[in-house]
Amino acid sequence: MLYLNQYRGISMLRLDIKQLRLVKTIADTKNITQAAVKLHVSQPALSKQLMELESRLGFALFQRTRKAMLLTEPGRNFYQHAEKILRDIQSMEEHLSKFSSGRTGSLRISIDRVHQSQWLSPVMERFRKLYPHIDLEVVQVNRLLDSLVEQRIDLAILGEAIPTPGVRYEPLNEDEIIAIVHADHPLADRPHLAVNDLQSQDFVYYFKLEESYLYQRYLQPNKISLGRFHRIQDLEALVTMVQSGAGMSILPRNLVTNAIDNKRVKEVQIGHRGFHFTWYAAFQDDASKPYLQDFVDQLLHYLNGMGEGKTHEVSDLPLV
């Protein structure tokens, strides 16, 4: 109980890293002169520091003999804790150094569910070669911009650049929202669609209707009611249903280009000018993640190589 009582008496003692290193170095060398050399201090100064520490502790850490400095029983306990703490500090310093240099960390990406992300695999592969210790994660979130602001993701690929404090937008590639219909659909030969044309139409859609941009921006304000509604989140199944005449749909052109080219469905322009828009990479300036900009640069390099560079802004209210 002697040592327990002694430790209780110093429960509020404040020790610093320098004192932990002092004890460890003396214990490792068993010689105060050699320890002083390793710690780059004079032997008298080191002896004084040790005596002051032992005085504060209320017990001796070392037994002084003519041949060596040997740890006492409480000294061995002190040494074990000091060694562990110093090892943890070194590990933390090394880990933080990797973070500051961008050699380790994580990158969480979320992509709008109707974005054609054929670039994802080759860009991620290239990025992993440049940053093998960065964990890449592609996650699905419901509200991309909110998740970005709340730092639940680091990079969002979305189709609208809403001015938001702290968020940067990098334009990626052009796209267009179009309607797809069966070749014999009543709207198939229209030069373009207006919002009223959707009244009572059977619809096949990727999202929950009430949560969608289409509903909130166009259908609800204009009091447009659809006919039968089918929610299909598998693109191939959605196209097949439109092809079979089960209803029409509205999607980005890049997502259904093959189906249009193969004449499985027919496209109809939305609005007399078309509903053109730009996909963006959205991210926050984060000094702790210098590799974030590099990922965006790799993405732009890939898209530019495909002939899909920076483009124009979103057309406003094309369904009127």
Side-chain angles (χ1 to χ4, degrees), residues 15 83 141 153 183 218 223 233 241 250 285 294 312 315:
L15 300 174
E83 187 176 43
V141 297
I153 58 174
Y218 298 108
K223 296 182 171 52
Q233 289 191 286
M241 287 196 69
I250 290 179
D285 288 322
D294 284 350
H312 49 74
S315 298

Side-chain angles (χ1 to χ4, degrees), residues 279-320:
W279 288 106
Y280 292 90
F283 54 98
Q284 292 182 311
D285 288 322
D286 190 344
S288 69
K289 296 190 175 185
Y291 47 82
L292 176 56
Q293 181 64 58
D294 284 350
F295 185 92
V296 176
D297 290 343
Q298 289 295 323
L299 174 52
L300 285 169
H301 179 75
Y302 179 88
L303 294 176
N304 287 333
M306 296 174 60
E308 297 179 348
K310 301 178 183 180
T311 55
H312 49 74
E313 300 294 330
V314 179
S315 298
D316 187 43
L317 298 174
L319 284 175
V320 295

Side-chain angles (χ1 to χ4, degrees), residues 113-118 178 180 204-207 231-243 249-260 264-265:
R113 282 174 285 186
V114 293
H115 176 69
Q116 181 72 301
S117 54
Q118 71 272 20
I178 59 171
I180 56 171
V204 185
Y205 207 45
Y206 199 91
F207 302 101
R231 186 188 180 201
I232 307 292
Q233 289 191 286
D234 179 83
L235 178 62
E236 177 57 29
L238 187 153
V239 170
T240 299
M241 287 196 69
V242 174
Q243 183 181 8
S249 190
I250 290 179
L251 289 168
R253 178 195 293 276
N254 283 345
L255 208 60
V256 290
T257 298
N258 288 338
I260 295 169
R264 295 179 59 193
V265 294

Side-chain angles (χ1 to χ4, degrees), residues 196-210:
N196 292 333
D197 293 322
L198 302 183
Q199 178 67 42
S200 301
Q201 294 294 333
D202 294 340
F203 220 78
V204 185
Y205 207 45
Y206 199 91
F207 302 101
K208 289 182 179 179
L209 184 61
E210 291 78 9

Side-chain angles (χ1 to χ4, degrees), residues 39-319:
L39 294 171
H40 306 289
V41 297
S42 67
Q43 186 270 326
L46 187 59
S47 296
K48 181 180 179 182
Q49 292 172 18
L50 176 59
M51 290 177 62
E52 290 175 348
L53 175 59
E54 289 179 324
S55 176
R56 290 179 62 197
L57 292 171
F59 54 79
L61 291 167
F62 292 93
Q63 177 185 356
R64 281 83 165 164
T65 70
R66 295 181 64 181
K67 293 185 177 180
M69 298 279 289
L70 303 177
L71 287 166
T72 62
E73 185 174 346
R76 285 194 295 274
N77 188 278
F78 187 105
Y79 176 86
Q80 290 169 359
H81 284 87
E83 187 176 43
K84 181 180 183 304
I85 292 169
L86 291 171
R87 188 167 56 246
D88 289 344
I89 289 173
Q90 182 179 2
S91 176
M92 181 182 69
E93 289 175 343
E94 291 174 353
H95 200 61
L96 292 178
S97 175
K98 289 179 181 178
F99 270 111
S100 64
S101 63
R103 287 179 288 140
T104 192
S106 63
L107 184 59
R108 296 158 300 174
I109 305 164
S110 192
I111 304 171
D112 190 297
R113 282 174 285 186
V114 293
H115 176 69
Q116 181 72 301
S117 54
Q118 71 272 20
W119 53 264
L120 184 60
S121 179
V123 172
M124 288 181 70
E125 181 180 357
R126 172 62 178 163
F127 182 82
R128 285 194 177 103
K129 290 179 181 178
L130 294 174
Y131 295 95
H133 301 295
I134 302 298
D135 293 328
L136 273 175
E137 185 179 5
V138 180
V139 298
Q140 193 65 260
V141 297
N142 290 327
R143 301 179 68 87
L144 276 72
L145 189 57
D146 289 344
S147 297
L148 182 64
V149 172
E150 294 164 6
Q151 298 184 343
R152 286 185 280 126
I153 58 174
D154 304 301
L155 178 67
I157 307 299
L158 37 72
E160 190 174 14
I162 301 173
T164 305
V167 175
R168 289 176 53 194
Y169 292 95
E170 192 76 47
L172 298 177
N173 60 303
E174 179 185 0
D175 208 338
E176 180 184 2
I177 297 292
I178 59 171
I180 56 171
V181 297
H182 183 271
D184 296 327
H185 192 279
L187 301 178
D189 294 326
R190 293 284 185 92
H192 62 266
L193 299 183
V195 64
N196 292 333
D197 293 322
L198 302 183
Q199 178 67 42
S200 301
Q201 294 294 333
D202 294 340
F203 220 78
V204 185
Y205 207 45
Y206 199 91
F207 302 101
K208 289 182 179 179
L209 184 61
E210 291 78 9
E211 297 176 1
S212 70
Y213 179 86
L214 172 68
Y215 178 82
Q216 295 172 3
R217 186 77 170 264
Y218 298 108
L219 301 183
Q220 188 180 42
N222 291 282
K223 296 182 171 52
I224 301 298
S225 297
L226 300 178
R228 289 178 299 175
F229 181 82
H230 306 279
R231 186 188 180 201
I232 307 292
Q233 289 191 286
D234 179 83
L235 178 62
E236 177 57 29
L238 187 153
V239 170
T240 299
M241 287 196 69
V242 174
Q243 183 181 8
S244 69
M248 62 179 294
S249 190
I250 290 179
L251 289 168
R253 178 195 293 276
N254 283 345
L255 208 60
V256 290
T257 298
N258 288 338
I260 295 169
D261 291 345
N262 293 330
K263 302 188 184 306
R264 295 179 59 193
V265 294
K266 185 174 181 180
E267 69 170 295
V268 184
Q269 180 178 293
I270 294 177
H272 68 279
R273 293 180 298 165
F275 189 169
H276 300 279
F277 73 102
T278 300
W279 288 106
Y280 292 90
F283 54 98
Q284 292 182 311
D285 288 322
D286 190 344
S288 69
K289 296 190 175 185
Y291 47 82
L292 176 56
Q293 181 64 58
D294 284 350
F295 185 92
V296 176
D297 290 343
Q298 289 295 323
L299 174 52
L300 285 169
H301 179 75
Y302 179 88
L303 294 176
N304 287 333
M306 296 174 60
E308 297 179 348
K310 301 178 183 180
T311 55
H312 49 74
E313 300 294 330
V314 179
S315 298
D316 187 43
L317 298 174
L319 284 175

